């Protein structure tokens, strides 16, 4: 199915968010619509944001998640 936005946990069991993002981008190849993927991770180290963007994620949020930051991110990616 089609989704408006994906919040991608970077550290999932079996398949991490980096590999899952690559799979989503492979599926989307050649399609008109690209689903925004927002990294959601407990990592807030230098270079983590860049790693997420390099695998095809569109933006980055770190945990603990704050409601106002999530709202701003949703507005940024879902509002026309």
């Amino acid at each position: 199915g089609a989704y408006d936005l994906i919040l991608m946990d970077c550290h999932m069991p079996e398949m991490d968010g980096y590999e899952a993002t690559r799979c989503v981008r492979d599926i989307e190849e050649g399609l008109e619509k690209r689903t925004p993927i927002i990294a959601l991770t407990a990592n807030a180290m230098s270079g983590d944001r860049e790693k997420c963007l390099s695998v095809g994620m569109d933006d980055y949020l770190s945990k603990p998640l704050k409601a106002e930051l999530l709202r701003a991110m949703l507005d940024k990616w879902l509002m026309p």
Side-chain angles (χ1 to χ4, degrees), residues 54-71:
S54 74
V55 299
M57 295 182 197
D58 298 290
D59 223 323
Y60 174 92
L61 285 170
S62 62
K63 297 176 188 174
L65 191 59
K66 295 187 172 93
E68 62 273 9
L69 294 176
L70 176 59
R71 183 179 320 276

Side-chain angles (χ1 to χ4, degrees), residues 17-65:
Y18 307 109
E19 185 178 352
T21 296
R22 286 186 206 97
C23 289
V24 169
R25 295 303 182 220
D26 286 346
I27 292 167
E28 290 179 334
E29 194 170 321
L31 300 177
E32 279 186 37
K33 185 177 184 232
R34 176 182 160 109
T35 305
I37 299 177
I38 311 304
L40 188 56
T41 181
N43 289 346
M45 306 280 289
S46 176
D48 288 335
R49 177 177 169 71
E50 291 74 19
K51 180 178 180 181
C52 292
L53 298 177
S54 74
V55 299
M57 295 182 197
D58 298 290
D59 223 323
Y60 174 92
L61 285 170
S62 62
K63 297 176 188 174
L65 191 59

